[in-house]
């Protein structure tokens, strides 16, 4: 049946469609960047133009489905289904399947050069590890699933959203500008470059033993095996083998001492990770709160390579909306500028992430946030609220985006991922 819609050239139509077919339609339309009504319109038009009826589609369990079509198309479609002696439900299912077959899922976009994101700040406790994990999880999510993403570009909206929480940390109607989008489907390696092993522990892995091999050994030129053998998979259906972790080892506390004896020590991390790069689209390095030689090596690893576009790799700076983060930011950017000048390399800033934000802390929080926004270059690319879901995920040693996939923090991580893509 059909009823008039608000648009003068379209009408609302109501029929039935199998749940799985409807889900495929939603995902494929999002992947193709068109709305569902346009996809259905195209499918019906193609179905009506066929010389013969296509194979039947299983419509068992079909339930209500509605969309808007150009005025008159549904009546024409109804007449042709009568002529072909098929039901409206079967005709619609065939039309949708016809459109799906003609518009296969696009290939996942993969970079020509593995992207390298260095998550850093000299100050500890700002949440670099949480941002590293959340960003990696968001980049690795399934390209054939729809996931809630914050799409608002207005920072004020994001601020208001961070202050609105339901009982389970989920999404409240009207709190956020949300769009359901396919995951990026990237192959991601998280590198725990911090001797405190926070990233390793949070994701439920074990730190590497002091008696064995480690990233530190490879950087110091004393490997005990293949670095690939140290990599572990973050096992979760949401990531389907796309998210891996290179665990930390406590021997990294001695990394600066060992690097002091290494030739071209700024390139030590790059030399160590180079054999792994062909396996991944993105490598994200969780840096320690340090301005030593290890940070030089991390910043150099994120430098812009030949034939790499600006902003593809570089430093992602995590801060809080308070004064000590600003002091640490100045120290870090000074170190990066010195490295740029000394080695004549381009190290891009991918942006600033304001983490653990809570406006209830008053003027210091809100004014500090405004100060970060006012910097402009690098600009604020993420705002993550100080909510309970991240702490709970750490406690149970599960990825945040698996533990609370619809929480505001998860939605914010997906927004961040799309900002840095």
């Amino acid at each position: 049946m059909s009823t008039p819609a608000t648009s003068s050239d379209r009408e609302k139509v109501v029929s039935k469609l199998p749940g799985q077919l409807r889900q495929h339609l939603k995902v494929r339309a999002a992947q193709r960047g068109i709305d569902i009504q346009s996809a259905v319109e195209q499918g019906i038009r193609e179905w009506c133009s066929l010389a013969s009826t296509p194979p039947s589609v299983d419509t068992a369990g079909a339930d209500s489905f509605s969309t808007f079509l150009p005025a008159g198309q549904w009546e024409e479609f109804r007449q042709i289904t009568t002529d072909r002696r098929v039901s409206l439900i079967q005709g619609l299912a065939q039309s949708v399947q016809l459109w799906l077959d003609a518009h296969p899922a696009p290939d996942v976009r993969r970079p020509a050069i593995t992207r390298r994101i260095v998550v850093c700040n000299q100050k500890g406790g700002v949440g670099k590890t949480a941002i590293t994990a959340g960003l990696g999880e968001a980049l690795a999510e399934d390209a054939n699933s729809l996931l809630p993403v914050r799409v608002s570009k207005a920072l004020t909206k994001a601020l208001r959203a961070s202050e609105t929480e339901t009982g389970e940390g989920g999404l409240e109607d009207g709190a956020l500008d949300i769009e359901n989008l396919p995951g990026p489907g990237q192959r991601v390696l998280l590198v725990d470059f911090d001797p405190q092993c926070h990233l390793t522990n949070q994701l439920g892995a074990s730190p590497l033993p002091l008696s064995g091999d480690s990233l530190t050994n490879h950087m110091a030129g004393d490997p005990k095996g293949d670095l690939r053998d140290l990599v572990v998979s973050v096992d979760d259906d949401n990531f389907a083998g796309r998210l891996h972790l290179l665990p930390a080892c406590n021997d990294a506390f001695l990394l600066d001492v060992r690097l002091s004896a290494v030739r071209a020590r700024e390139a030590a991390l790059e030399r160590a990770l180079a054999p792994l790069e062909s396996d991944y689209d993105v490598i994200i390095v969780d840096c320690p709160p340090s301005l030593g030689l290890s940070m030089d090596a991390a910043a150099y690893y994120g430098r812009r390579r030949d034939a790499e576009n600006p902003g593809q790799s570089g430093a992602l700076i995590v801060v809080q909306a308070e004064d000590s983060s600003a002091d640490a930011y100045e120290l870090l950017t000074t170190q990066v500028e010195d490295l740029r000048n000394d080695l004549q390399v381009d190290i891009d800033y991918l942006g600033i992430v304001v983490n653990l934000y809570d406006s209830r802390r008053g003027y210091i929080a809100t004014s500090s946030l405004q100060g970060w926004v006012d910097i402009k270059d690098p600009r604020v690319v993420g705002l993550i609220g100080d909510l309970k879901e991240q702490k709970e995920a750490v406690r149970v040693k599960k990825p945040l985006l698996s533990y609370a996939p619809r929480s505001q923090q998860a939605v914010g991580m997906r927004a961040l991922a799309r900002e840095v893509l």
Side-chain angles (χ1 to χ4, degrees):
M1 68 178 183
S2 65
T3 57
T6 56
S7 174
S8 60
D9 61 345
R10 285 186 176 267
E11 58 184 2
K12 183 178 181 180
V13 301
V14 179
S15 184
K16 290 185 176 182
L17 201 63
Q20 187 174 32
L21 195 59
R22 184 171 59 252
Q23 182 64 20
H24 289 332
L25 174 62
K26 289 180 180 178
V27 172
R28 194 69 50 80
Q31 290 172 332
R32 288 287 178 173
I34 69 172
D35 53 60
I36 291 176
Q37 64 182 18
S38 296
V40 176
E41 175 189 343
Q42 294 172 19
I44 289 177
R45 187 186 309 119
E46 291 299 315
W47 187 87
C48 291
S49 67
L50 294 175
S52 60
T53 305
S56 295
V57 174
D58 184 3
T59 59
D63 54 18
S64 182
F65 172 80
S66 63
T67 188
F68 291 89
L69 296 176
Q73 186 183 45
W74 189 250
E75 289 305 321
E76 177 189 6
F77 175 65
R78 183 196 298 273
Q79 183 59 52
I80 294 176
T81 59
T82 300
D83 294 343
R84 293 181 178 175
R85 298 182 178 180
V86 299
S87 68
L88 278 170
I89 296 173
Q90 179 62 220
L92 180 60
Q94 291 177 8
S95 299
V96 169
Q97 187 62 59
L98 192 66
W99 184 85
L100 290 170
D101 293 341
H103 298 82
D107 293 334
V108 172
R109 295 176 58 185
R110 306 204 181 278
I113 300 173
T114 299
R115 304 184 64 186
R116 300 157 325 281
I117 300 174
V118 179
V119 181
C120 52
N121 192 334
Q122 183 269 341
K123 184 179 185 300
V126 295
K128 294 185 294 293
T129 297
I131 296 301
T132 299
L135 175 60
E137 293 161 25
L139 288 170
E141 284 186 307
D142 187 8
N144 291 309
S145 297
L146 295 182
L147 305 152
V149 181
R150 186 174 68 216
V151 295
S152 172
K153 296 297 183 181
L155 189 59
T156 53
K157 289 186 178 181
L159 291 179
R160 288 198 302 271
S162 72
E163 300 165 16
T164 306
E165 183 183 8
T166 66
E168 297 180 355
L171 307 176
E172 281 196 354
D173 292 340
L176 293 168
D177 287 344
I178 297 295
E179 186 172 339
N180 289 318
L181 298 174
Q186 301 289 287
R187 300 167 300 185
V188 179
L189 174 65
L190 304 176
V191 177
D192 193 347
F193 198 43
D194 188 339
Q196 298 173 92
C197 308
H198 290 320
L199 180 62
T200 301
N201 290 322
Q202 285 185 20
L203 292 176
S206 298
L208 298 171
L210 286 168
S211 58
D213 202 5
S214 67
L215 177 59
T216 298
N217 288 337
H218 285 256
M219 291 179 65
D222 186 28
K224 298 182 179 180
D226 190 331
L227 196 62
R228 279 191 180 86
D229 294 338
L230 305 181
V231 173
V232 297
S233 177
V234 180
D235 291 326
D236 190 281
D237 292 342
N238 293 346
F239 314 123
R242 290 180 298 272
L243 183 62
H244 293 169
L245 168 71
L246 178 56
C249 178
N250 292 139
D251 67 355
F253 280 114
L254 301 175
L255 179 57
D256 279 9
V257 174
R258 296 181 68 179
L259 283 180
S260 64
V262 173
R263 187 175 181 181
R265 54 181 174 261
E266 292 86 1
L269 182 60
E270 181 169 296
R271 288 194 298 268
L273 294 179
L276 304 182
E277 289 185 2
S278 61
D279 297 336
Y280 300 99
D281 301 310
V282 185
I283 295 179
I284 307 177
V285 181
D286 182 25
C287 294
S290 166
L291 294 178
L293 298 179
S294 57
M295 187 59 222
D296 279 347
Y300 183 85
Y301 184 59
R303 82 191 191 287
R304 192 191 315 161
R305 295 178 179 174
D306 293 341
E308 189 172 23
N309 292 328
Q312 294 295 294
S313 297
L316 185 67
I317 304 173
V318 182
V319 301
Q320 289 186 28
E322 40 78 36
D323 294 339
S324 60
S325 281
D327 297 335
Y329 171 82
E330 294 295 336
L331 292 171
L332 174 64
T333 54
T334 297
Q335 180 178 11
V336 171
E337 290 306 313
D338 288 344
L339 199 63
R340 280 172 163 174
N341 295 329
D342 292 346
L343 301 181
Q344 294 296 296
V345 294
D346 292 315
I347 301 174
D348 296 326
Y349 292 113
L350 302 181
I352 296 171
V353 180
V354 182
N355 191 33
L356 299 172
Y357 179 76
D358 186 349
S359 67
R360 293 173 298 179
R361 293 175 182 149
Y363 173 73
I364 290 178
T366 56
S367 61
S368 296
L369 175 62
Q370 188 60 51
W372 293 119
V373 174
D374 289 343
I375 290 177
K376 304 298 184 186
D377 185 20
R379 66 188 178 90
V380 173
V381 295
L383 179 70
I384 307 298
D386 186 9
L387 300 173
K388 63 185 177 64
E389 285 73 29
Q390 176 65 52
K391 300 179 181 69
E392 291 173 352
V394 170
R395 173 64 65 87
V396 298
K397 298 185 183 300
K398 288 191 63 176
L400 169 67
L401 273 66
S402 299
Y403 175 77
R406 290 184 55 81
S407 67
Q408 291 165 19
Q409 288 168 318
V411 169
M413 293 295 185
R414 296 187 187 106
L416 172 62
R418 282 158 176 79
E419 287 288 336
V420 302
L421 269 178

